[in-house]
Amino acid sequence: MIYGFPDMESDTGPRPCQKAISNSKGLNAKKINFMITVYGVHKGRYFDRFYYKDRKSVMLPVEASQTARGGLDPSRHTFGVSFNYDKVCGCVEPEERDPIRYNNTYMERYKRAAPWMKNNIDVEGVKQLLDASDFIGLSSYAPLPANLTQASMEVSIETAAFEMQPFGIDLKSYLFAKGKPLVYSEQGIGGCTDNKRLPPSLDYIRVHPFSGCGGSYSSQLDPWKVPEYQAYRRKLYQLLADWAAVGGGPQYRVDGIYVWNSGSWDVMGVNPSSTTREGTYADSVIKGYVQQLNAAVNGYTPTYQQLGPSQNNKGAFGSRR
């Protein structure tokens, strides 16, 4: 089990982090690891795109001496590279950022951008980076269908794999031939609009899972008080837990899921600001799904009411902030 630690980058001092650890203890994590976000891979940017060209800025493979700084034990750390589920090459014209239109026109845009890509994208360097990584991560924010199924849980992986193929990067070969673990490095459903307002409909929520309300819990900005929205979120996490329990599929496997624990995405109430006197964004039913799955993976015997998936478990949930 890999358990993501909410880094609380907007807070200072140890107390918020200690509180987050305390809030995580009921989720049956066997151990808690730090999920480090590296800012310096591409100067001043997250490494969420293929183009960098500057080999000196690529930090993998990581030497043991680097992880040993500050007294850290290098044997207890793994390193990976994570991409957004779509727009992985960063070659998207602003007018084409609609997810459906983006996917439908990808190959057309790929051919149109070929001269630019030849000069800016170091494909062999990206392959070397993937080879040097201990695991591969993807965000899980693809639009969701109205009728959820286990198969729809891997749409984000399918999208990323589709976009990587024209570059000669076969995601399946990394997972199955090379044995690289794949994790959803960020998963969630936010339930709000981009301007932090309650959504107009369930359709908006499922098509824009990446959109939510940040900050401390507010009763006025809680989409999950609406029964229809609450039921959809619970169905999503029930299926996600069932899907993780059998290791993913039908095309791709999944080795772990990190839930984005901030604001209205925080289904497990890990972030201290997700619960206030007004209420909480956490859902006890969804926490039950996560507790049972993690308990089975990590050998715990739950003492609470059994909820959610079967005992045939492969993947596990963690939290990410």
Side-chain angles (χ1 to χ4, degrees), residues 8 38 47 50 53 57-58 132 137 144 168 186 199 202 206 269 276 298 315 319:
M8 317 292 289
V38 177
F47 187 77
F50 276 5
K53 282 292 182 182
S57 67
V58 177
L144 296 163
E186 186 176 327
L202 177 60
R206 65 179 182 79
T276 68
N298 295 316
S319 65

Side-chain angles (χ1 to χ4, degrees), residues 257-297:
I257 300 169
Y258 295 90
V259 179
W260 183 252
N261 282 304
S262 178
S264 59
W265 294 270
D266 192 0
V267 294
M268 295 183 282
V270 170
N271 195 306
S273 65
S274 299
T275 301
T276 68
R277 293 180 179 179
E278 293 185 33
T280 181
Y281 287 121
D283 188 312
S284 60
V285 172
I286 293 173
K287 285 182 70 174
Y289 301 151
V290 175
Q291 287 170 327
Q292 183 184 350
L293 178 62
N294 285 350
V297 169

Side-chain angles (χ1 to χ4, degrees), residues 109-122:
R109 288 170 18 323
Y110 178 86
K111 294 176 182 177
R112 192 163 66 237
W116 178 91
M117 290 188 292
K118 184 177 180 180
N119 294 324
N120 290 276
I121 295 179
D122 184 358

Side-chain angles (χ1 to χ4, degrees), residues 12 20 43 49 57 65 148 182 201 241 243 249-250 273 282 295 307:
T12 57
K43 237 177 182 178
R49 302 175 181 182
S57 67
S65 59
L148 293 165
L182 184 137
S201 66
W243 182 68
S273 65
L307 294 170

